Amino acid sequence: MPPDAAAVHAAGRARSSFEDQRPLVEDPDLTARIAEIGREALAGTPLLAGREGDAAPLREGWRFAVLDDPEPEAFLFADRTVFVSRGALTALPGEPALAALFRSAATTFASGAFRPETAGELVEQPLSLVLPEEPAAGSPQDDGRSRDRWVALLDGLLFGQPAEYGVADGRELLLPRADFRLSLPDRSAFEPAERGVFRATRNGESVGLTVRETPAAGSGPAGGNGVPAHRAELAGLGARLRDAAAREAAEVTFLEAFRVRGFTGVRGRLHPAREGDSGEASGQTPGLVAVVPARESLVEVSLDCGRRRFDACEAWFLEMLGSADRLWDTPVPGPLRIAAVAPGESGSVREALGRLAAEGRIDAGLAAVEFLNRGWLEEPLGPGERVLILSRNPAGTAADSGGRQR
């Protein structure tokens, strides 16, 4: 039950609007390889075969494109167009999983998914596709050649958000749009969580610190000089601080202003809110929160003290806030990109990744690169075989889109 003419016609309009809002990765080589995997997958989809097993017209006219989006998503339109995000490519464990995704899209297309239950209605497009789970061991394409092709496919692809949304560079967090930087005071490291949101970890474990960059609309200086304008600015920041706390179902106490290297912000203690309880008598260790305006942004910093002593937690938080500074002339590192490298030593993929991390050749946490290679972590490396790592390009040379670095 493939889509009828009305659904196909509606797909053209819906896809045009979709593409206007969702940019594509402009990489002909990547697109061609994705299309090749798609065609191979369709050839093995029973619902697209003819009665005698010959190729059917439903196999023709398919289009495959890669969205420049770090979120792991895939979409299907009734005109046989499949969109897969670069985030989905990095979330899949290998080529067999991508082929399974395309077979699922073809099955969805041919099994009545675009046929409405009520006559005269149309199914809303696009349809979201579920990314496949780990492929079954020993699947037909799960071999060394498949791995080599997959490593080559991802080599150079942008990983995560573009650098304009912030760069987590070890202990340093750089926010170019806000002209703002923070430094962690010990062996902790910043890691991206989502667009404009970063968390601190130590040895791969969260330390409870979150940094969030948000638009500063409606919270900037009230204008003018003198004490009234300064008080109005602090009042606005205090309101934003309470809004940030409310988002976490918490309340703020001990609100005070602070100033560091030209930045004026507000900070306070964060208490879980209870009905009829101000948070003071809850008996729980309070957290800490601060809001700092920087250019057209607000930088929200929060710390969950957990089971740590509050005085030690507060000292660590204040030391981190005290590191706030402008970027000045510091070049912002390029975005993280997936890179294929040959470790040059024998052993398993997991062991090779550990050595590369110890040598400082991976610009991200070890857990992230192990995730990229999880389909073959325990397999031995042959001569010249490559693994996937994450690295930053020199400043100013990153490609504009999520495609390969040239």
Side-chain angles (χ1 to χ4, degrees):
M1 296 183 61
D4 57 19
V8 174
H9 182 69
R13 298 194 305 271
R15 181 169 54 80
S16 176
S17 176
F18 183 87
E19 291 181 336
D20 287 342
Q21 301 174 23
R22 306 289 295 269
L24 301 180
V25 173
E26 300 296 338
D27 187 332
D29 293 340
L30 175 67
T31 303
R33 180 62 187 130
I34 293 293
E36 180 183 356
I37 296 173
R39 288 191 297 269
E40 293 174 358
L42 296 186
T45 304
L47 284 180
L48 299 191
R51 286 185 179 179
E52 305 300 326
D54 297 328
L58 291 182
R59 288 184 185 172
E60 305 301 325
W62 286 80
R63 177 189 174 221
F64 301 89
V66 181
L67 296 171
D68 190 3
D69 192 327
E71 294 300 318
E73 299 174 315
F75 302 96
L76 172 66
F77 286 85
D79 63 355
R80 309 182 200 187
T81 303
V82 181
F83 291 95
V84 57
S85 68
R86 58 179 174 82
L89 295 179
T90 61
L92 294 172
E95 184 177 314
L98 180 60
L101 173 66
F102 290 152
R103 285 194 294 271
S104 172
T107 300
T108 299
F109 169 85
S111 61
F114 289 101
R115 299 271 185 165
E117 296 181 1
T118 305
E121 294 184 355
L122 290 173
V123 174
E124 186 175 352
Q125 300 186 48
L127 297 181
S128 293
L129 299 173
V130 178
L131 299 186
E133 298 179 356
E134 308 295 323
S139 58
Q141 299 180 11
D142 193 8
D143 53 27
R145 289 178 302 168
S146 169
R147 186 179 81 185
D148 291 342
R149 290 194 299 263
W150 188 253
V151 169
L153 179 76
L154 297 190
D155 186 19
L157 194 67
L158 182 67
F159 182 85
Q161 300 289 349
E164 66 183 275
Y165 294 104
V167 174
D169 190 14
R171 294 175 55 239
E172 299 285 323
L173 174 61
L174 310 177
L175 302 176
R177 295 184 304 174
D179 190 23
F180 187 86
R181 70 189 300 165
L182 281 174
S183 301
L184 292 171
D186 52 22
R187 297 184 303 277
S188 302
F190 282 109
E191 292 187 1
E194 55 188 89
R195 177 170 289 190
V197 181
F198 299 83
R199 294 189 174 93
T201 63
R202 185 183 297 117
N203 298 324
E205 299 294 329
S206 173
V207 299
L209 179 73
T210 301
V211 180
R212 183 187 307 269
E213 182 184 3
T214 60
S219 61
N225 298 311
V227 174
H230 182 63
R231 287 177 176 173
E233 179 183 0
L234 294 180
L237 290 176
R240 290 300 293 260
L241 188 65
R242 294 185 180 90
D243 290 343
R247 189 172 57 239
E248 304 296 330
E251 297 176 350
V252 176
T253 60
F254 294 98
L255 190 65
E256 62 179 355
F258 70 96
R259 186 172 178 82
V260 56
R261 293 182 179 85
F263 295 109
T264 298
V266 294
R267 64 189 178 215
R269 297 181 185 179
L270 201 60
H271 304 265
R274 289 184 174 184
E275 187 174 351
D277 182 3
S278 66
E280 290 294 323
S282 66
Q284 299 185 38
T285 302
L288 294 154
V289 62
V291 169
V292 183
R295 279 192 175 175
E296 302 301 319
S297 300
L298 280 178
V299 181
E300 300 176 5
V301 187
S302 61
L303 177 61
D304 180 0
C305 290
R307 297 185 178 183
R308 287 168 287 184
R309 284 175 41 192
F310 179 73
D311 56 349
C313 182
E314 185 176 40
W316 191 86
F317 184 74
L318 294 179
E319 183 179 357
M320 184 272 306
L321 281 184
S323 72
D325 200 352
R326 292 180 55 197
L327 297 182
W328 300 106
D329 295 326
T330 302
V332 178
L336 281 173
R337 288 188 180 270
I338 301 172
V341 299
E345 295 184 37
S346 60
S348 69
V349 172
R350 186 188 297 274
E351 292 169 341
L353 294 176
R355 288 194 298 268
L356 292 172
E359 295 168 2
R361 295 174 60 185
I362 298 177
D363 294 331
L366 181 58
V369 294
E370 287 184 344
F371 181 80
L372 286 175
N373 294 272
R374 70 190 185 282
W376 46 82
L377 268 180
E378 306 306 332
E379 295 183 11
L381 278 170
E385 287 188 330
R386 300 184 296 173
V387 298
L388 296 172
I389 65 170
L390 293 171
S391 65
R392 297 192 183 280
N393 297 297
T397 66
D400 291 335
S401 75
R404 287 181 178 83
Q405 178 63 41
R406 299 301 181 185

